[in-house]
Amino acid sequence: MESVTPRKAIIERRDEANSCIRYELYTAAALTACSGVELLLESLFTEYYISILRDDRNSARAFLAARDQWNEEKDLKNQWTLTNWRRYFEDEEIPRKMQAHFGKEIKILSPGMLKDINIEWNKCKHDIHVASPQAAIQIVEILNRSLEELDYLAGEGISKHVATVQLNADWQGHWGDQILGWITQNQDSPFYEVLSRLTLLLNLVVNLASDPRIELEPKTQLLVAAHYVYSAIDLIPDVENNVRTLVDDGAVLVLTMSWLMREDKIPDELIDEHWSGKDDASQEIQRLEKYIQDNHHKLFRDKRGSASSNNVWSTIRRVAKVGPEALWQNYWKEAY
């Protein structure tokens, strides 16, 4: 059994959460940090199991069998959410067992702390809930301190605060060539219209968010949309070497810009100034919005494969009505 949660993925969630705190996106920060804690618990379980396996295969098999029996008794159907990992760690005293096995006390992820994190996680998932600065900062700091205590940061050299410009550069470096290669070979695809404009749209949003002439409220909305693209948490999870999984990111950028334009929150001249495309920025965004509206049944499919009334589209289309914060108010009810 190999670790399915690399440490780097958890550290990326930590960095995303810290960046959200920096820009006062507290609900996004809380959700991202909670997700990081969920991955951390999964990773700790896997590393503990591998350590036992190295010492005694029979003990490792018994450990897995006990976990599976607990899962069956709780009737979880292998749905390992943050809530279930927390309950499992508490019921089976996993931190105590790990301390005995590794000879190192684990202080941070105590049952009380995990319960508090789980409560905030459920609020954000199931209610129209805006996390307070205090709650978000506390959860992010718990994740920060947990990774430090568990030596997950050794040798990583990743800063706790990542500027949006740097996140954009990292994203472009990772996806840029893949997108370019895909669009040159798939011009007949229904995904082409959105994905061929994705880089232009992301640069537009980031440049506007960095412009000191933009007021705080629309700047916050732009940052929410940008962080949705950079985040590992997606309506359609990003899959390496599958550019089509970025279609929800492109749609969020289009509908965010369209909403801001309708609300007159950003002057047209600033949009034109930061648009690097050859066509008219406003007309192109309006055209893409109509294309997405007309072709959503082809573009967005949830994991069950349904096409028109799935959670992906029902959430994305709300962005056009109320702005990108709709992503944090609705999606989490179904996604986790």
Side-chain angles (χ1 to χ4, degrees):
M1 177 178 179
E2 296 181 358
S3 174
V4 296
T5 310
R7 292 184 175 192
K8 183 178 179 181
I10 305 169
I11 295 168
E12 286 174 351
R13 297 283 171 93
R14 188 284 306 265
D15 288 342
E16 291 168 12
N18 277 288
S19 188
C20 288
I21 290 291
R22 182 180 180 184
Y23 292 109
E24 300 181 359
L25 306 176
Y26 295 117
T27 301
L31 285 165
T32 305
C34 286
S35 177
V37 171
E38 179 183 339
L39 292 181
L40 179 58
L41 294 178
E42 180 182 357
S43 176
L44 286 173
F45 170 85
T46 305
E47 293 187 16
Y48 180 38
Y49 166 79
I50 291 174
S51 179
I52 298 174
L53 184 63
R54 291 194 186 104
D55 295 338
D56 186 346
R57 289 184 176 273
N58 289 331
S59 296
R61 281 195 290 267
F63 177 65
L64 272 190
R67 195 280 303 267
D68 292 342
Q69 182 179 354
W70 184 90
N71 184 290
E72 185 176 344
E73 289 173 353
K74 304 297 182 183
D75 194 28
L76 300 180
K77 299 180 177 61
N78 288 317
Q79 297 176 356
W80 285 90
T81 63
L82 173 61
T83 300
N84 298 331
W85 278 115
R86 179 186 71 80
R87 290 169 59 193
Y88 174 70
F89 266 59
E90 185 173 352
D91 291 351
E92 300 299 308
E93 298 183 312
I94 299 300
R96 181 187 61 79
K97 293 176 181 178
M98 291 183 66
Q99 290 169 14
H101 184 79
F102 292 114
K104 180 180 179 181
E105 185 177 5
I106 301 174
K107 301 176 182 178
I108 298 299
L109 294 177
S110 65
M113 287 184 177
L114 288 177
K115 183 177 180 180
D116 290 342
I117 292 172
N118 201 182
I119 289 172
E120 189 69 20
W121 176 245
N122 286 328
K123 284 181 182 178
C124 291
K125 282 197 306 177
H126 300 299
D127 302 317
I128 298 179
H129 171 74
V130 178
S132 69
Q134 294 82 2
I137 291 170
Q138 180 183 22
I139 295 170
V140 173
E141 189 55 31
I142 288 173
L143 181 58
N144 286 330
R145 289 160 54 201
S146 297
L147 294 177
E148 291 171 357
E149 181 186 73
L150 295 166
D151 295 328
Y152 270 46
L153 302 179
E156 290 293 339
I158 300 178
S159 64
K160 291 186 179 181
H161 298 293
V162 182
T164 299
V165 173
Q166 182 59 50
L167 287 172
N168 187 41
D170 292 343
W171 188 93
Q172 301 280 3
H174 180 81
W175 285 106
D177 289 342
Q178 294 185 55
I179 294 172
L180 182 60
W182 186 91
I183 62 178
T184 56
Q185 300 178 27
N186 294 274
Q187 296 183 22
D188 295 331
S189 169
F191 295 86
Y192 176 83
E193 290 294 336
V194 178
L195 296 179
S196 65
R197 303 296 189 276
L198 178 54
T199 299
L200 282 173
L201 290 162
L202 184 55
N203 286 335
L204 173 65
V205 167
V206 171
N207 289 337
L208 286 170
S210 304
D211 193 319
R213 295 168 292 179
I214 302 295
E215 295 182 359
L216 178 60
E217 181 181 353
K219 181 171 291 191
T220 299
Q221 300 291 346
L222 291 164
L223 289 168
V224 169
H227 276 278
Y228 176 83
V229 176
Y230 306 138
S231 175
I233 307 172
D234 264 340
L235 288 163
I236 301 175
D238 297 343
V239 177
E240 186 71 23
N241 298 320
N242 187 351
V243 172
R244 291 191 304 174
T245 60
L246 302 176
V247 69
D248 59 316
D249 301 288
V252 166
L253 296 176
V254 169
L255 298 185
T256 295
M257 284 304 306
S258 180
W259 176 75
L260 288 167
M261 287 161 52
R262 279 196 299 273
E263 297 289 319
D264 291 326
K265 293 180 178 291
I266 299 179
D268 291 342
E269 57 269 23
L270 292 185
I271 295 176
D272 293 336
E273 180 181 327
H274 290 295
W275 176 252
S276 56
K278 296 180 179 179
D279 37 22
D280 180 82
S282 298
Q283 291 181 7
E284 181 64 2
I285 290 168
Q286 291 170 0
R287 185 189 72 82
L288 287 171
E289 180 184 23
K290 186 178 187 306
Y291 180 84
I292 291 167
Q293 296 277 0
D294 292 344
N295 294 276
H296 65 84
H297 56 289
K298 299 177 183 178
L299 300 175
F300 310 113
R301 297 177 182 272
D302 65 11
K303 57 189 175 185
R304 296 181 296 277
S306 59
S308 59
S309 61
N310 58 60
N311 187 54
V312 174
W313 173 238
S314 66
T315 300
I316 288 179
R317 67 183 177 185
R318 292 191 70 238
V319 174
K321 296 180 179 179
V322 298
E325 288 182 333
L327 296 165
W328 308 112
Q329 296 173 351
N330 187 53
Y331 163 51
W332 306 100
K333 296 180 181 179
E334 301 296 334
Y336 284 86

